[in-house]
Each structure stands twice: as C-alpha cells, then as structure tokens.
Amino acid sequence: MPNLGTSSNTKCAQSVLYTKGAHVGHKKRMANNRIAELRKAKGMTQEQLADAIGTTINNLGKLERGARRLNQDWIDKISAALQCEPHELFTSPKPLTTERRVESPQREYRPHPDQLPTRSAWRDAGPVQLRRVNLELAMGNGTVLEDWIEEEPYDFDATKLREITSTPAHMLLIGKGIGDSMEPTIGSHDDVMINLAENELSRFDGIYALTIEGAGAIKRLAPAGEGMVQVISDNRNHPDPVRKFPRSAIKIIGRVNWSARRH
C-alpha cells in the first residue's frame, strides 16, 4: 500500500501520495521533477500547460522549478495534461529498444612459431609434441654421452606445459635418467624435461642435464665460488654426494624443469 503523507497547507488538509520513484526527500523530489522536460517534449508552452491544469504561468513556473509544493492534486492534473504516468514526472522511463548489439568478429589467434600454444581452462587445445631423445644421461657414475638418438614424439598437455615453462616447445627435450643418485627427487628411468634455453648456471642451485669431462649426468649444481661448481647428488646414501669441479669442466645441456615417475 502506498505511503500517505499529509500536506502542510493549512487551507486544505489534502493528502499527498508518494508515488513510485518518489521515495526521496520531498524538497529534492520537487526540485528534480521533469515537468518542463516532458512539457517541451510534447511541444507545449508554459501558457498551454497552465491553461490545461487551471493555473497561471507564474504558478506553473514555480511548480517546474520546485519552488512550490507538488501535492497529489497537481501531480494528477499535470500527468493527465502531459499524458504520462504520475511517476514519470520524477523518473525517466526506460526506453524500449530493438537494437541488437553487434558483436565484433573474433580474430583467429595465431601464435608465433616459437611461442607455446595455450588453452583456457574450459577449452582443450590438444597436446604439444615435444622431442623425446635417448640421452643416456647417468645419475650414477656417469656414461659417455653418445649422439642423441631421437625417439617417438612425446605428447604433453598444453596447459600443464604452460604452467611449467614459457620456453618454446622446440627448446624442450624429454629424456630419461639412469641410476639412483638423485633419489628421491628423480628416480631411475624417470622421464625428465630438459630446457635447452636454460644452459647457464644461476647463482641459485638447480637440477641440470650436463656433461662432466664428457660423461653425461643429471645432477644438482650450485656455484661454489672462485670458478668452481658443486655437483650434488640428492641421494644422501650416495658414496660421494657433493663434489667440486672447475666450471670449465662442466658443459650444461639444460635445466631440468619437470620429471615424471615411471610406474
């Protein structure tokens, strides 16, 4: 039920109906009315509207400016003369439109040849094919690194790959380690991803595929100062878990970014 107030006009105890859209302070409601806007939209002059509602131009001007109280009687008369709903004197109706939003055509995404394909969480972009090679990298005593023999392609989930590295796919190899010197981090014959783009030793330690004086290995490396490098086996039961070599004796093939346990 609408909220009924009482006019303060002592000459007439006429009730004031607070119509839809007018639930604001009365002074603000009067000052923000749209009488003049609607009158002009109808092509009516102040004189014509004043005659239609039975008042003077001066009084109508006060009503339009909010200088005079808009009681329910004035609201009914003005809305009838302007052929609108009473609440439209205070609020703008939402225009109806049949205009359709024109969607801009989506451009086909074509990544740079050196850029990894990506996919969203809801759209399968398919696997990325990485090169799988038989590196015969030792994680024990080491073996002589022979020519890399490329095996079958290795399908890798595109989203998972993006989480691991932003390096282009052609700079990534899948190999395997041999031996238990990196247990429990990497097991014998586990698949490992070698990032050929990361072939420099950073100031922090990391696991790398490398050769030490020609012998292949997967080891943890750490700078040791004065041109020396620590070669570390994660398996603390290894007979010689930490060794030092001159940096010149070590050739880094790439950093190991990922490994998968064989079952």
Side-chain angles (χ1 to χ4, degrees), residues 174-190:
I174 299 294
K176 62 182 177 181
I178 301 173
D180 61 358
S181 68
M182 288 301 290
E183 290 277 8
T185 310
I186 302 174
S188 183
H189 293 87
D190 283 356

Side-chain angles (χ1 to χ4, degrees), residues 69 81 104:
R69 179 182 293 274
S104 57

Side-chain angles (χ1 to χ4, degrees), residues 33 52 58 63 71 73 83 156 158 180 197 202 204 211 213 221 224 239 243-244:
N33 74 69
N58 182 50
L63 292 171
N71 59 29
D73 186 48
Q83 297 179 337
F156 205 99
D180 61 358
S202 68
F204 302 107
T211 62
E213 298 175 344
L221 300 182
R243 293 181 291 169
K244 286 187 179 181

